[in-house]
């Protein structure tokens, strides 16, 4: 992989390390409060938290090869060290319009079970520990029909972090394309 | 001795026993004899004897038998233990190894079995025997082997393929370096001839570096190619590994159907990639089952027709370049196109009109459509229409091709053309709507450049004519629903694809050349895609999709017209045919030329001098320039030379229109780089237009 696809994982790892120690302190003080690590990303003006345990790496946007006849949430494919990985724009799956891609967008490679995808995001902010007890439900009517993919929200200094249920997202049938199987069942 | 797959199994088993025999015998000498040790040796000798008998290796079984006897004697105390005895035992294991090698390669190493048997019986080697046996076994190679999973072999082949591709990328890098050097030379005003010594030596070092790089690259290439070939060979297995099983299952099937069949196989030794064999097996089995079920008649019918009582079915395989051709023939009743049409309509496979429009040759391929069967009754064998789909999808997976011939009453012939490997193939790289796609080369019959005028309409379909045949035309971007339509230009790039004896012309933007590609899947998220069978990674590290030609053919049926010709004609009427720069200091000449060209839908820009022309060239692209010679400040010849030096007008055609009619002037014009020279005295509207049209198209 050439330079422009370089990874920012080192920085993230450093932050993870700092957070780890910070969380140890918090745990000691906060008597049993459970904090979960989330990778904070931004798509448009919404900040999303992706469970850090499922995030593998962050990449600069490589050239995406367009695959004809795919649904709008699949933006193309690229080679991740010889492995073909598809790029998913989660916005349409969350009931929002597709993002208009710019060169400075990032890809977050996530893995749940045997399924791996690269999520297209505008900005990667970094890692954040979220106290499970402070996770709130989304406001009534928010979530535009994709509430089942949202684990909840976390509000800190008036910044809202929408926590994505990656397991649920990756389990959505739209995530896997099997056109030949589909053709057979249609006929 | 007949080499069957069981011999291979035996050899693997025997290798383990041989190893334990050798170790045990040596430890008898080193550590001394123990009951347990002897039992172990006896077990190995006994198993070897039994297994060798099973696979008809009588001599090997004989040696193992005597070995077992001698060990028993040793156990009972009848035979005394000595180091001479160890020699005898070891000679026996050498003999067994030689006989194993012989069984595998059907000959090669001579083994004097009698001598070995005699030594085992007497418990000693005499000097002569010792020498003789030593000579006999000198050629015996020590065969050691390990088992490796197919998956690991596949990974190895894949990685090797990647290395080959990297090596190809290095070739491109080298070309870039050479170009860079040339550019450096020209921009530094002939670096080669430079007086500056340090620059000279720098250049010399660079040339040497490029040469060294080439040598290393070639070296790496040869090695990588060699390792790749050897790795590929590890995956090859003879066709016999699958055809052996066919014989029994076909005999059973024939018996159940009360038919008599004589099945013959030729070319069992032809070796194919293991994955290929797995993929091709259901195809062959299906076709053979069909031949018995539908093709071969009942014995009484055959006799009445004057045929042999037993139906003849043959399977023949042979190498053809980097392909294997497998032919399956039967002498049954053949496929009846009429009956197939009726059934296809009845089963809703196609409409009555479509069926009527199809030729007999094309109709017989319908038997491979899912849900199709010509049988009146559904049988357990092949009448359910299942499995046929397997033929289609497997064939697509292995990128093979299939040809079916049949004659009513005399039989059917099916020819399968299979690439030797599924892991790598030669692909034609094609650009369409800004992306690169790969076509397996063996589906591409030819690449044509056609004019929209060559597109004809036949019974509502657009076709092109090629060697007196009409070939239906489609567009890749249209089939892939990419929205963007092809540029309507004078020259279109068309691939002629061939699949199951059908041809199809496919419009693409341009071809990018042939390349060996390593097949990869489409990743875990894209399990299967219509029109694509996989992907590959190109030299620049980007993936490219591999086109499924079978899917294209399936989709091409009943497609809408491209209306390319109409689009072209419309474009001809409305749009401009090209942008021309007319350079002349005479207002009469340039106005005349401008009017002639504009009347024929060319866009014309006027320049009044050479300098003016160069300025105009800076502001935009032109398809052609028409220039006078004698002009103030700069002649037409000088202008042409300058045009040739400019990057973006280097290839622009130039027509000189001049009153200078001598051969010398013509020569000067050509030398300056003009493509045509028209003398004003003979100037006619037709000549200018004709020349412009020829050069622009």
């Amino acid at each position: 992989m050439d330079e422009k696809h370089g990874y920012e994982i080192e920085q993230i790892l450093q932050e993870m390390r700092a957070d780890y120690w910070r969380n140890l302190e918090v745990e000691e003080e906060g008597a049993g409060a459970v904090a979960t690590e989330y990778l904070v990303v931004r798509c448009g003006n919404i900040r999303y938290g992706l469970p850090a345990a499922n995030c593998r790496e962050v990449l600069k946007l490589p050239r995406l090869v367009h695959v004809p006849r795919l649904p709008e949430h699949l933006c193309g494919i690229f080679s991740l060290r010889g492995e073909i990985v598809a790029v998913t724009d989660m916005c349409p799956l969350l009931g929002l319009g597709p993002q208009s891609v710019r060169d400075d967008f990032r890809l977050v490679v996530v893995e749940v079970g045997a399924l791996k995808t690269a999520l297209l995001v505008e900005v990667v902010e970094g890692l954040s520990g979220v106290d499970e007890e402070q996770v709130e439900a989304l406001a009534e009517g928010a979530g535009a029909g994709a509430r089942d993919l949202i684990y909840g929200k976390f509000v800190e200094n008036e910044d809202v972090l929408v926590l994505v249920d990656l397991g649920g997202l990756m389990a959505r049938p739209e995530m896997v394309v099997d056109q030949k199987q589909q053709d057979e069942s249609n006929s | 001795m007949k080499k069957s797959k069981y011999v291979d199994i035996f050899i693997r088993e025997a290798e383990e026993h041989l190893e334990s025999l050798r170790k045990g015998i040596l430890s008898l000498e080193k550590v001394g004899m123990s009951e347990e040790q002897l039992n172990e040796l006896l077990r190995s000798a006994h198993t070897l004897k039994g297994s060798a008998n099973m696979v008809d290796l009588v001599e090997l079984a004989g040696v193992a038998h005597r070995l077992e006897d001698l060990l028993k004697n040793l156990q009972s105390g009848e035979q005394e233990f000595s180091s001479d005895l160890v020699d005898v035992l070891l000679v026996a294991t050498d003999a067994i190894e030689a006989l194993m090698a012989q069984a595998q390669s059907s000959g090669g190493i001579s083994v004097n079995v009698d001598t070995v048997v005699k030594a085992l019986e007497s418990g000693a080697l005499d000097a002569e025997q010792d020498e003789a046996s030593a000579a006999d076994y000198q050629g015996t190679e020590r065969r050691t082997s390990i088992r490796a999973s197919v998956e690991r072999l596949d990974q190895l082949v894949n990685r090797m393929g990647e290395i080959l591709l990297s090596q190809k990328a290095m070739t491109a890098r080298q070309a870039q370096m050479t170009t860079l050097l040339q550019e450096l030379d020209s921009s530094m005003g002939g670096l080669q001839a430079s007086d500056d010594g340090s620059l000279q030596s720098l250049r010399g070092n660079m040339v040497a570096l490029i040469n060294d790089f080439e040598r290393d690259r070639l070296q790496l290439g040869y090695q990588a190619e060699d390792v790749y070939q050897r790795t590929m060979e590890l995956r090859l297995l003879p066709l016999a590994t699958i055809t052996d099983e066919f014989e029994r299952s076909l005999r059973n099937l024939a018996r159940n159907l009360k038919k008599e069949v004589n099945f013959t196989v030729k070319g069992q030794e032809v070796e194919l990639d293991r994955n290929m064999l797995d993929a091709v097996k259901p195809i062959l089995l299906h076709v053979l089952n069909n031949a018995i079920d539908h093709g071969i008649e009942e014995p009484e019918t055959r006799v009445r027709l004057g045929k042999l009582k037993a139906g003849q079915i043959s399977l023949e395989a042979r190498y053809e370049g980097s392909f294997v051709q497998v032919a399956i023939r039967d002498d049954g009743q053949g496929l009846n196109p009429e009956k197939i049409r009726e059934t296809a309509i009845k089963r809703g496979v196609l409409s009555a009109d479509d069926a009527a429009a199809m030729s007999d040759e094309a109709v017989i391929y319908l038997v491979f459509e899912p849900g199709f069967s010509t049988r009146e009754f559904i049988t357990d064998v092949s009448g359910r229409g299942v499995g046929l789909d397997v033929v289609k999808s497997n064939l697509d997976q292995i990128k093979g091709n299939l040809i079916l011939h049949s004659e009513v009453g005399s039989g059917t012939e099916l020819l399968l053309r299979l690439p030797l490997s599924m892991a790598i193939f030669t692909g034609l790289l094609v650009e369409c709507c800004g992306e690169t796609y790969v076509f397996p080369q063996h589906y591409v019959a030819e690449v044509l450049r056609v004019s929209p005028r060559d597109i004809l309409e036949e019974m509502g379909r657009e076709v092109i004519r090629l060697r007196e045949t009409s070939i239906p035309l489609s567009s890749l971007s249209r089939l892939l629903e990419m929205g963007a339509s092809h540029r309507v230009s004078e020259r279109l790039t068309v691939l002629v694809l061939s699949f199951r004896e059908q041809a199809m012309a496919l419009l693409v933007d341009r071809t990018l050349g042939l390349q060996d590609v390593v097949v990869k899947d489409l990743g875990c998220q894209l399990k299967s895609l219509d029109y694509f069978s996989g992907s590959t990674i190109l030299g620049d590290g980007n993936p490219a999709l591999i086109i499924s030609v079978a899917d294209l053919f399936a989709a091409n049926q009943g497609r809408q017209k491209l209306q390319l010709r109409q689009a072209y004609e419309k474009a001809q009427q409305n749009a401009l045919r090209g942008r021309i720069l007319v350079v002349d200091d005479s207002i009469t000449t340039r106005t005349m030329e401008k009017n002639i060209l504009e009347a024929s839908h060319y866009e014309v820009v006027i320049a009044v001098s050479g300098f003016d022309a160069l300025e105009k060239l800076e502001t935009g692209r032109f398809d052609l320039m028409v220039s006078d010679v004698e002009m103030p400040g700069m002649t037409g010849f000088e202008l042409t030379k300058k045009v040739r030096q400019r990057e973006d007008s280097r290839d622009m055609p130039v027509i000189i229109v001049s009153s200078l009619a001598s051969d010398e002037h013509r020569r000067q014009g050509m030398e300056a780089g003009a493509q045509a020279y028209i003398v004003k005295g003979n100037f006619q509207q037709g000549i200018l237009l004709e020349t412009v049209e020829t050069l622009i198209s």
Side-chain angles (χ1 to χ4, degrees), chain A residues 63 65-70 74 77-79 82 84 86 88 115-117 175-180 183-184, chain B residues 389 435 437 480-482 520-532 535 537 541-543 551:
Chain A
R63 186 178 107 72
V65 171
H66 171 73
V67 180
R69 307 171 72 252
L70 282 189
L74 293 171
I77 55 171
F78 71 104
S79 158
I84 305 289
T88 307
L115 200 59
K116 184 190 271 184
T117 191
M175 286 299 286
V176 175
V177 177
D178 194 354
Q179 290 174 344
K180 297 214 158 130
D183 295 347
E184 256 170 48
Chain B
D389 207 21
E435 293 289 353
Y437 298 96
L480 298 180
E481 296 168 23
M482 290 197 284
K520 287 182 172 288
D521 59 21
L522 293 153
C524 53
Q525 227 176 329
L526 308 179
K527 268 190 160 169
S528 71
L529 294 177
D530 288 334
Y531 306 115
F532 303 107
S535 67
I537 299 193
N542 285 313
D551 282 1

Side-chain angles (χ1 to χ4, degrees), chain B residues 14 67 108 134 234 266-267 360 376 443 477 544 546 554 668 687:
Chain B
L67 179 65
L234 290 178
K266 268 190 206 163
D360 284 356
E376 304 271 322
Y443 289 128
S477 69
I546 299 170
Q668 278 182 29
I687 292 177

